[in-house]
Amino acid sequence: MTTHFSQNAEETPEPRRAEVKGNIPGWLQGTLLRNGPGIFSVGVTTYNHWFDGMAIMKSFAFKDGEVTYRSRFLESDTYKANMAANRIVVSEMGTMAYPDPSKNFIVKAITFLNHTVPDFTDNGASNFIKYGKDYYATSETNYIRKIDPVTLETQDKVDYMKYLPVNLSSSHPHYDKEGNAYNIGTSIADRAKTKYILFKVPAVSETDKDKDAPALKKVEVLCTVPCRSLLTPSYYHSFGLTENYFIFIEQPLKLDILKMATAYMRGVNWASCLKFFPEDNTLIHLIDRKTGKVVDTKYYTGAMVVYHHVNAFEDDGHVIFDVIAYKNNNLYDVFYLNTMKEDAGSEDDSYSKPSYKRFVLPIHSDKGVAVGEDLVKLKYTTASAVKEKEGKLICQAEVVCEGFELPRMNYGFNGEKHRFVYGCSVEKCAVAREIAKLDTETKEMLYWSEENCLPSEPVFIPRPNGESEDDGVVLATVINSIPGKSSFILILDGRTFKEVARAHVNTTLNRDMHGFFIPQQN
């Protein structure tokens, strides 16, 4: 099964009608975009890590019970440079690119300088984001690539640095009901300070809707959070949001900037400069959205690594947030292509499975509360926040379940109390063989799996005017590992988690990362 990870994908730029089995609900009208790495070797050179592969974008357009599929490579500057040279010449996080040995000294010297002060890749192979009326392929660097969500054509290259000083940025922004986007980026050693910047990209106004300018031109900085260390900022992949607060986890998984500057010279990749410090604590920043200030209380918990926030909400003087947490950063190493198991989805001894954790942050003041007292007063969770001293709480999470990743929910409940979460079941290894629906109240799970099939991150689509939180469908792409058998997109009932339909695409699908659904009216 390794071929599904390291084998170069083939693009299908012209729309192709899928073969539907079952009945797709008539209300499901729109396009599911999915993004992930698709090219792993160029000429005689290969990437070391699955995350490094050059992006291939896929779209599944749903209309009147039919599905149309197409795919295209993201024609980034990285893609063009690599293809023109017929070798990998642009470095990625897990793969350092070195010049052709036959090149002269000047070329080698320029390559060295480019890596000392790195100009990061624009290979946006992680997700899609929407700023204003435009859609972008993104990873976590300062570059995003505008794309046409219908044809998947690659358009403008946009540099965050032209609009605000962030060298790195999350690929998981939040959106409110007005269409504003919220995101976070890291500003490294800008004016001798390293900080995290929370920013807002406003929805497009009526006066600007016909203009071509990027929505980032009107970006607003909402808050800056100083980094605990100037040259070792925390790595993060997502953050939390409620009606009144942002939640940012400054975890002890740190990027060593000085080591990054010398990585090329030392013959190591940039990922080797990312280190987990298990002896350190995790600082949870609670930021007031109205004032843009971090609240006075300091919330701490033990060392952990979080990639994905699930959701956050407020209840009776508490902020509750759910995350998928790991005990270490072994997950990244699992996806080095030379270590991935032949039988993807089989048990892996080096794998540390994640926990679905619920944290509770009391908002009210701890003045007058005795040291050692738990300030959490909610009855439906075992999470605690114990006073260690004035203004400092030690938080212990409730473990809702284990072996669950790539969480998705009804986004209409984002920032509000939710009950149901959909995700990949990763009990034995990082590659899922089944997807699941979690009831956070009863802790019950429903599963879907099929022999020889590898499902992707499931995406929940709510039924218009639905009667309940889970009234809708769940979409997941599924790779069939049997030669000659076509892969398909699966449609499950959001409530029963039973199959409603599947659409065979008559081509080989590659493993991907994240998806973004665009309703037809948009």
Side-chain angles (χ1 to χ4, degrees), residues 241 309-313 320-322 409 413-416 418:
L241 170 147
H309 281 248
V310 182
N311 189 33
F313 57 93
I320 300 94
F321 71 94
D322 295 358
M409 50 172 280
F413 285 76
N414 189 52
E416 302 173 10
H418 68 284

Side-chain angles (χ1 to χ4, degrees), residues 179-193:
N180 302 301
Y182 302 87
N183 210 346
I184 185 169
T186 303
S187 177
I188 299 171
D190 178 52
R191 298 177 186 175
K193 292 182 180 179

Side-chain angles (χ1 to χ4, degrees), residues 404 406-409 420-423 436-437 458 460 470 474 494 497:
F404 189 87
L406 298 174
R408 298 293 293 256
M409 50 172 280
F420 302 107
V421 184
Y422 304 88
K437 176 187 180 183
F460 178 83
D470 57 350
V474 176
F497 218 52

Side-chain angles (χ1 to χ4, degrees), residues 106-124:
I106 294 175
V107 171
K108 293 178 181 179
I110 291 170
T111 305
F112 170 73
L113 291 171
N114 285 342
H115 285 81
T116 304
V117 184
D119 185 21
F120 290 120
T121 178
D122 65 338
N123 176 33

Side-chain angles (χ1 to χ4, degrees), residues 22 39 42 51 56 69 93 111 118 151 159 207 210 215 251 256 314 332 354 365 377 421 430 439 475 491 506 511 513:
I39 298 177
V42 184
F51 293 169
I56 186 168
Y69 168 78
M93 194 67 179
T111 305
T151 66
D159 184 356
T207 55
D210 296 323
Q251 58 194 7
D256 191 314
E314 299 167 35
Y332 185 86
S365 171
K377 305 304 177 187
V421 184
D439 184 330
L475 306 180
I491 302 100
N506 250 347
R511 187 78 180 173
M513 291 196 188

